[in-house]
Amino acid sequence: MKLIDKFGRTIDYLRISVTDRCNLRCVYCMPEKGVETIPHSEILRYEEILKIVDVAITLGIKKIRVTGGEPLVRKGIIGFLSELSHRKVDFSVTTNGILLGDFADDLKKAGVKRINVSLDTLSEKKFSEITRGGVLKKVINGIVKAKALGFEPLKINAVVLPDTSEEDIKTFIEFAKTNGLVVRFIEHLPFAGYRTNQLVALEKSCKMKYNLIPTDVEGFGPGRHYKMNGATIGFISALTFPFCRKCNRLRLTSDGKLLPCLSSLDFVDVKKAVRNCASDEEIKNLFFEAVKNKPEKHTFENPRDCMAVKSMVGIGG
Ligand code: SAM
Ligand code: SF4
């Protein structure tokens, strides 16, 4: 039996947040101080996640993204990824890149093929401001090392912020060309009380100024992609041009909630079931329930009704 929702969408993609902890404090994702973390005992253990993954695979989940928080700060992450690599599922990791230089070799050995690095600027000063103290050089070293080790494609995801300029985009494109990367500009989503929407205007002015050639890139997910001077760049605007009609994903939070949509609080508690020694059949039914709860579209309008009251760090971006 496959996971198909009431709008006819087949659900075959699971994003798994393995931790709500992070070694950065990005302004749009986390408060500067007073971050409330989930107690360790409430975080899914790796063997619990793997049990859920095994059931998910029997239901047609084909693709998994491991995210967080920052996945590379969780102890034992390499062993977990190595376990995942023995499953029949296409999986990848999203990281802020701070520890990528230290972990790249181990990630390769663990069977990870694809990595997304989140990096919003190539200016040291801006990077330190956005991440509240992060060191850009570490991320760049991590990217260069990962590229040299053959992670392909190596994608950079850059959230567009109020002071992201055309010049920033040009610098990213040069960086992508030099290092053989894909850069995707992401529209900011209104989490953590921080709101901006610059992406569409920037895309428009870039299209007028530069020779952007639209391109379809298989496996690159939603968004508009272009070739430009040998680089591939994408613009992903979940708010302005929602791609809900094609949405194929569920999210598993680090504390074991199965979320039908980023903007929905209609979650199903899988941790409770797993800890009560639920059978595979019972876990399957929870997946069906989550899919049944999947809304037709996301909405970030009413904070009380959606996960926008929380930040991405707890949900898993
Ligand atoms: N720590 C890892 C990282 O930064 O790549 C993984 C978790 S992070 C929550 C995953 C992605 O969510 C990052 O690319 C980050 O930029 C993005 N993100 C976080 N808050 C966001 C927001 N409000 N709007 C859009 N993207 C956001
Ligand atoms: Fe941490 Fe990623 Fe959120 Fe930045 S975006 S605070 S790196 S989880």
Side-chain angles (χ1 to χ4, degrees), residues 16-22 29-30 35-38 43 67-70 191 251-257 259 262 307 310-317:
I16 303 176
S17 171
V18 292
T19 180
D20 64 330
R21 270 71 169 173
C22 189
C29 181
M30 271 194 159
V35 181
E36 277 180 39
T37 51
I38 301 169
I43 300 278
T67 178
E70 172 50 37
F191 288 83
R251 292 166 195 268
L252 180 64
T253 64
S254 55
D255 60 345
K257 296 182 175 87
L259 283 185
L262 251 191
M307 289 303 280
K310 298 199 170 207
S311 99
M312 203 78 126
V313 75
I315 306 168

Side-chain angles (χ1 to χ4, degrees), residues 33-316:
K33 293 195 180 106
V35 181
E36 277 180 39
T37 51
I38 301 169
H40 284 294
S41 59
E42 296 304 318
I43 300 278
L44 283 178
R45 294 190 289 274
Y46 287 132
E47 60 271 26
E48 293 171 333
I49 302 178
L50 290 168
K51 184 172 170 64
I52 296 166
V53 164
D54 287 337
V55 172
I57 292 172
T58 67
L59 291 169
I61 293 292
K62 294 197 179 82
K63 208 171 141 186
I64 287 180
R65 171 167 299 284
V66 176
T67 178
E70 172 50 37
L72 298 185
V73 301
R74 180 158 175 189
K75 220 171 138 191
I77 187 69
I78 296 297
F80 168 70
L81 294 171
S82 177
E83 280 294 330
L84 214 47
S85 76
H86 297 126
R87 265 80 180 167
K88 273 199 172 152
V89 71
D90 169 25
F91 77 104
S92 53
V93 177
T94 296
T95 172
N96 61 29
I98 291 287
L99 294 173
L100 186 54
D102 300 336
F103 276 89
D105 285 308
D106 288 343
L107 288 167
K108 191 82 193 167
K109 284 184 205 140
V112 177
K113 299 219 166 37
R114 291 183 295 106
I115 299 176
N116 281 9
V117 182
S118 307
L119 175 61
D120 305 331
T121 176
L122 290 166
S123 145
E124 265 177 50
K125 185 168 172 284
K126 276 194 193 174
F127 183 79
S128 172
E129 284 163 10
I130 294 168
T131 60
R132 300 196 180 99
V135 178
L136 176 65
K137 219 186 291 165
K138 288 191 182 175
V139 183
I140 304 290
N141 290 345
I143 291 171
V144 171
K145 185 155 179 196
K147 187 69 194 178
L149 285 170
F151 288 98
E152 200 65 52
L154 192 52
K155 294 185 199 163
I156 308 299
N157 287 340
V159 176
V160 170
L161 299 164
D163 64 347
T164 304
S165 61
E166 274 181 42
E167 198 51 40
D168 289 321
I169 295 204
K170 215 170 138 193
T171 316
F172 262 125
I173 290 167
E174 285 306 317
F175 181 64
K177 263 174 32 186
T178 314
N179 295 285
L181 310 167
V182 176
V183 177
R184 301 182 315 164
F185 299 100
I186 315 282
E187 189 167 51
H188 173 262
L189 299 170
F191 288 83
Y194 186 94
R195 199 176 261 271
T196 176
N197 178 7
Q198 284 274 96
L199 182 121
V200 176
L202 270 178
E203 179 182 358
K204 208 168 152 192
S205 62
C206 282
K207 269 165 87 176
M208 282 181 353
K209 268 211 174 129
Y210 308 116
N211 186 23
L212 296 189
I213 302 163
T215 178
D216 267 340
V217 197
E218 208 188 318
F220 275 23
R224 299 163 303 285
H225 290 86
Y226 304 89
K227 290 275 183 207
M228 184 193 165
N229 298 340
T232 304
I233 59 172
F235 294 87
I236 299 170
S237 41
L239 273 187
T240 314
F241 303 116
F243 28 83
C244 302
R245 210 168 43 82
K246 291 189 177 166
C247 183
N248 61 345
R249 57 183 78 153
L250 288 179
R251 292 166 195 268
L252 180 64
T253 64
S254 55
D255 60 345
K257 296 182 175 87
L258 205 47
L259 283 185
C261 170
L262 251 191
S263 81
S264 169
L265 274 178
D266 260 337
F267 61 81
V268 169
D269 190 348
V270 218
K271 181 183 67 192
K272 196 167 152 201
V274 170
R275 293 197 175 168
N276 284 331
C277 306
S279 65
D280 286 1
E281 221 42 51
E282 285 166 316
I283 297 171
K284 274 186 196 173
N285 284 335
L286 294 179
F287 269 91
F288 288 123
E289 201 181 323
V291 167
K292 206 172 87 200
N293 292 347
K294 202 165 162 63
E296 185 176 14
K297 300 175 189 164
H298 59 227
T299 166
F300 296 97
E301 296 310 315
N302 184 352
R304 269 174 309 180
D305 291 345
C306 76
M307 289 303 280
V309 287
K310 298 199 170 207
S311 99
M312 203 78 126
V313 75
I315 306 168

